[in-house]
Amino acid sequence: MKKMIIIGLTALWLSACSDLQGSNGRTDENFPKISRPYNSEQAIQNGDVVNVHGQLSNMDKWHQFLKNIEANKADKVRITQYTIEGDPIFYELIYNGESIHYTFDNSMDAYGSNQGRPSTTCKGMGTKKNEQGNEYYILKDCDNETGKTFWFHKK
């Protein structure tokens, strides 16, 4: 009887995990699919907040996301920032009303770390100034080091 329960629970757990993942490892239910190449026009069309060397698009989505965090209202946003070479780096944030689940993806960056799609859960968002006096949004109180990969210009 114990074996049957363990097998049943294992099958249930595996099926739940497989339903969340698309064929490329992305959580398809949360954000539009990404295909190669993923240029900035496509990212803007998909509703991503886009940063191409300081040219920002869909900032209304970012500002709404910040407002929803303040109001403890669930929301999600994907930021796509492009490298000098034109490669996208993805920052996916899902806020559930209490915490932010963050996933970092630099798999399409030629100089990326090829570490998959590491993620973490963070308690909030804050700001930080660099040595030049520029202010950035950062994640606060994260479960692991992945949270340190997030930064976004505050303009």
Side-chain angles (χ1 to χ4, degrees):
M1 183 65 176
K2 280 185 180 180
K3 278 186 178 180
M4 292 301 290
I5 292 172
I6 291 172
I7 291 171
L9 289 174
T10 302
L12 180 65
W13 180 77
L14 289 173
S15 67
C17 290
S18 67
D19 286 345
L20 291 174
Q21 299 294 320
S23 61
N24 60 0
R26 296 188 178 284
T27 51
D28 294 332
E29 67 186 16
N30 292 321
F31 296 99
K33 289 185 180 183
I34 295 171
S35 59
R36 291 180 189 259
Y38 194 68
N39 62 40
S40 60
E41 292 82 15
Q42 185 179 3
I44 292 166
Q45 226 173 25
N46 278 346
D48 297 8
V49 175
V50 177
N51 181 2
V52 181
H53 315 296
Q55 281 295 112
L56 302 170
S57 301
N58 290 337
M59 285 300 289
D60 57 317
K61 296 181 183 302
W62 176 248
H63 294 297
Q64 186 61 52
F65 181 73
L66 294 175
K67 286 179 186 175
N68 287 338
I69 289 175
E70 287 179 23
N72 297 324
K73 183 179 175 188
D75 198 1
K76 65 183 180 197
V77 67
R78 176 168 57 207
I79 299 171
T80 304
Q81 301 199 75
Y82 287 85
T83 65
I84 293 169
E85 299 81 17
D87 297 333
I89 298 176
F90 307 100
Y91 304 84
E92 297 173 349
L93 301 124
I94 302 171
Y95 180 65
N96 65 8
E98 295 179 10
S99 61
I100 300 168
H101 181 78
Y102 165 63
T103 302
F104 174 74
D105 182 349
N106 66 355
S107 61
M108 289 189 183
D109 180 7
Y111 297 100
S113 63
N114 245 350
Q115 60 185 350
R117 290 175 35 87
S119 62
T120 188
T121 300
C122 306
K123 293 182 181 171
M125 179 101 37
T127 59
K128 182 178 182 178
K129 282 189 179 184
N130 66 9
E131 293 172 2
Q132 292 79 26
N134 298 318
E135 201 166 6
Y136 297 89
Y137 287 101
I138 59 167
L139 293 170
K140 297 189 319 184
D141 301 321
C142 299
D143 291 344
N144 61 50
E145 295 296 308
T146 300
K148 293 181 179 179
T149 63
F150 180 80
W151 62 271
F152 190 64
H153 289 282
K154 183 176 181 183
K155 288 192 174 189

